[in-house]
Structure formats: structure tokens, C-alpha cells
């Protein structure tokens, strides 16, 4: 029923906090600071409300995939027990209703904090969920397109309520390192037998080298440079650990 609880329950429960912070929440938080915002209570509340609003809808896509889409898959990944699937049969519409209520509540709260219309933010979240419907229904190459749209939405939609005008260079770097990187990794995992961990390490190192070489031209904020370095170290460590286990 509540944002983040379904992700914690079905994905990476044992190490939920660090992957969630580094790959989902902190990228949004840090890019928001590149708008010239300062870290204060108002900014933190805005980011949290925006992110939780988006994620309350994004997780509906998870639920549909795990409880409905598995019925049409030949070899589905089962993340729910039979009792949980039976519970969804009885309470599914109510769960979705509660989550939409959270979205509206968060949008109203953001409106009161900013005095700006939340129409664009709300419509983008609806578009995100619609994309997830197509992503869950079509089990062909269209999923690579929908996966890219979902990654773009997940990383950019929460920022709409902060400032609709995205800084160009920061947005390009952010797009390459998160939505594009995740989507490309998804394609490689689905379509090739190559060692994806090696690819991810090379990609991260090339991206860092690119930022260092163009430091004089790409004026990103201190927060961005620091976070990209931290995330790169984390990503390389995870990939090396997975390679060692294999």
C-alpha cells in the first residue's frame, strides 16, 4: 500500500537501503541541487514529496508485473507467494486506489509548498504508469523502448516540481550516467551473453574520464562531481564482487 514498501519486500530486501539511495533517490536529490537550490528543510521536503509521489505510481508497475504479467510469461520470475497473489486478487483495486490517493495527497502538498500548478507533474506520473502498462504487456523488443522511457521518467519526473527548466550540461551528464546507462545495461542483459559487469565497469570509467578531461568546459556542481565519484566507486565494487562470485 505504501511507497517503497513493495520494492523493499520483493527486491533487494537484504541490502535495500544502499542500492536504493545510490541508484534511485540520491541522483534525483543531487541533480536538484544543480538548479542552484540549497540544502534546507524546504528543499528536502519537496524532493521527498516529489519522489514518493512518483514511486507510489512506479511501484504499481512492479505489482502488475509480479501479480498479473506472470500469467502470460513462459518462465516468469516469481516474487510473490501464492498467499500474496491470492491477496492481490481480493485487494488489488483497493491497493491501486490507495496508491493513487498518495499521489494526489503528495501533489496537493507540493502545490501548497510552491503555489505552482501540479498538472504537468501529475500528467507525467500518469504517462509513466501508462508506459509501464505497455512494458508489462508487450514481451518483445518494444520493451527496450519502454524501459528507456521508464528510466527517464523515474529520474526526471520528481524534478519537475522543483524547477521545470533543467540545466543543459547537468541534464545531459545525468541522462547518460543514469537513464541511458541503465537502459543499455538492460538491453545487454536481455540480448547478449556478454559479461555485463565488465561493460558496466568500462562505461563508468569512461564516463569519469570524460568528465575529468572536459572539466574546464563542463561546469557541474561540486555535489554532482562528488556523487558521480561515489556512485562509480560503488558500481565498480558491486560489479567486481559479482564477477568474483561467478
Amino acid at each position: 500500500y505504501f511507497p517503497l514498501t513493495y520494492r523493499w519486500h520483493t527486491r533487494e530486501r537484504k541490502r535495500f537501503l544502499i542500492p536504493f539511495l545510490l541508484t534511485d533517490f540520491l541522483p534525483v536529490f543531487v541533480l536538484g541541487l544543480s538548479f542552484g537550490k540549497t540544502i534546507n528543510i524546504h528543499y528536502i521536503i519537496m524532493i521527498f514529496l516529489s519522489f514518493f509521489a512518483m514511486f507510489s505510481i512506479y511501484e504499481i508497475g512492479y505489482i502488475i508485473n509480479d501479480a498479473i504479467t506472470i500469467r502470460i510469461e513462459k518462465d516468469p520470475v516469481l516474487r510473490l507467494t501464492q498467499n500474496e497473489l491470492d491477496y492481490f486478487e481480493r485487494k488489488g483495486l483497493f491497493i491501486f486506489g490507495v496508491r493513487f490517493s498518495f499521489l494526489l495527497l503528495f501533489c496537493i502538498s507540493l502545490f501548497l509548498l510552491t503555489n505552482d500548478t501540479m498538472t504537468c507533474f501529475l500528467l507525467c506520473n500518469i504517462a509513466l504508469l501508462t508506459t509501464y502498462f505497455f512494458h508489462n504487456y508487450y514481451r518483445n523488443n518494444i520493451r527496450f523502448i519502454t524501459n528507456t522511457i521508464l528510466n527517464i521518467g523515474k529520474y526526471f519526473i520528481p524534478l519537475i516540481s522543483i524547477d521545470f527548466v533543467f540545466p543543459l550540461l547537468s541534464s545531459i551528464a545525468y541522462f547518460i550516467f543514469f537513464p541511458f546507462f541503465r537502459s543499455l545495461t538492460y538491453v545487454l542483459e536481455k540480448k547478449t551473453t556478454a559479461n555485463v559487469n565488465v561493460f558496466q565497469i568500462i562505461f563508468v570509467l569512461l564516463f569519469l574520464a570524460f568528465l575529468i578531461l572536459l572539466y574546464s568546459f563542463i561546469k557541474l556542481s561540486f555535489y554532482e562531481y562528488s556523487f558521480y565519484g561515489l556512485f562509480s566507486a560503488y558500481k565498480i565494487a558491486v560489479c567486481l564482487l559479482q564477477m568474483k562470485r561467478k
Side-chain angles (χ1 to χ4, degrees):
Y1 290 94
F2 302 100
L4 297 185
T5 54
Y6 189 79
R7 158 116 180 222
W8 176 83
H9 181 64
T10 58
R11 290 158 174 82
E12 304 175 317
R13 182 187 297 189
K14 293 182 180 179
R15 55 187 185 92
F16 170 80
L17 185 60
I18 293 177
F20 167 73
L21 286 176
L22 290 179
T23 64
D24 290 283
F25 180 72
L26 284 180
V28 176
F29 186 89
V30 171
L31 184 64
L33 295 175
S34 70
F35 296 164
K37 306 294 182 181
T38 56
I39 299 179
N40 52 39
I41 295 298
H42 183 268
Y43 175 74
I44 292 173
I45 292 174
M46 290 284 293
I47 284 289
F48 268 94
L49 288 173
S50 301
F51 187 86
F52 276 82
M54 180 277 297
F55 222 80
S56 64
I57 294 300
Y58 196 84
E59 283 182 311
I60 290 179
Y62 284 163
I63 297 170
I64 292 174
N65 179 75
D66 298 346
I68 298 176
T69 306
I70 58 168
R71 301 172 185 172
I72 61 175
E73 289 186 315
K74 294 181 179 179
D75 188 22
V77 177
L78 300 178
R79 293 188 173 93
L80 299 176
T81 66
Q82 188 58 50
N83 286 337
E84 289 168 335
L85 291 172
D86 293 340
Y87 183 84
F88 174 79
E89 287 291 330
R90 300 191 306 270
K91 300 287 188 178
L93 290 178
F94 184 60
I95 292 171
F96 293 161
V98 171
R99 285 182 169 270
F100 274 106
S101 298
F102 272 117
L103 173 63
L104 293 176
L105 177 63
F106 292 141
C107 284
I108 292 171
S109 301
L110 287 167
F111 171 75
L112 294 175
L113 285 171
T114 62
N115 293 321
D116 291 331
T117 176
M118 286 291 105
T119 303
C120 181
F121 180 71
L122 184 59
L123 290 177
C124 285
N125 277 288
I126 300 301
L128 182 71
L129 181 58
T130 303
T131 303
Y132 225 133
F133 287 152
F134 285 102
H135 184 73
N136 284 327
Y137 183 78
Y138 291 102
R139 317 308 285 177
N140 51 33
N141 290 337
I142 292 177
R143 299 195 80 202
F144 301 127
I145 299 174
T146 54
N147 178 265
T148 302
I149 297 173
L150 288 173
N151 278 317
I152 293 172
K154 184 169 71 170
Y155 284 107
F156 280 96
I157 287 176
L159 294 165
I160 292 175
S161 63
I162 305 301
D163 193 330
F164 191 72
V165 180
F166 296 106
L168 180 60
L169 293 179
S170 292
S171 297
I172 292 174
Y174 182 74
F175 169 77
I176 293 173
F177 205 45
F178 290 102
F180 177 75
F181 181 31
R182 287 176 67 99
S183 299
L184 189 56
T185 300
Y186 178 82
V187 172
L188 292 176
E189 289 175 340
K190 297 293 184 181
K191 302 295 286 187
T192 72
T193 58
N195 192 322
V196 179
N197 287 312
V198 173
F199 158 76
Q200 291 185 86
I201 292 174
I202 294 174
F203 186 97
V204 167
L205 292 175
L206 287 176
F207 181 82
L208 288 179
F210 175 77
L211 288 184
I212 293 172
L213 289 173
L214 297 181
Y215 176 78
S216 299
F217 303 97
I218 303 178
K219 295 297 184 180
L220 303 183
S221 68
F222 169 78
Y223 300 105
E224 291 172 279
Y225 281 116
S226 300
F227 180 72
Y228 286 141
L230 174 63
F231 180 84
S232 298
Y234 162 76
K235 196 65 182 178
I236 291 172
V238 169
C239 290
L240 290 175
L241 182 60
Q242 292 176 347
M243 293 167 63
K244 182 179 179 181
R245 288 174 178 172
K246 291 180 179 180

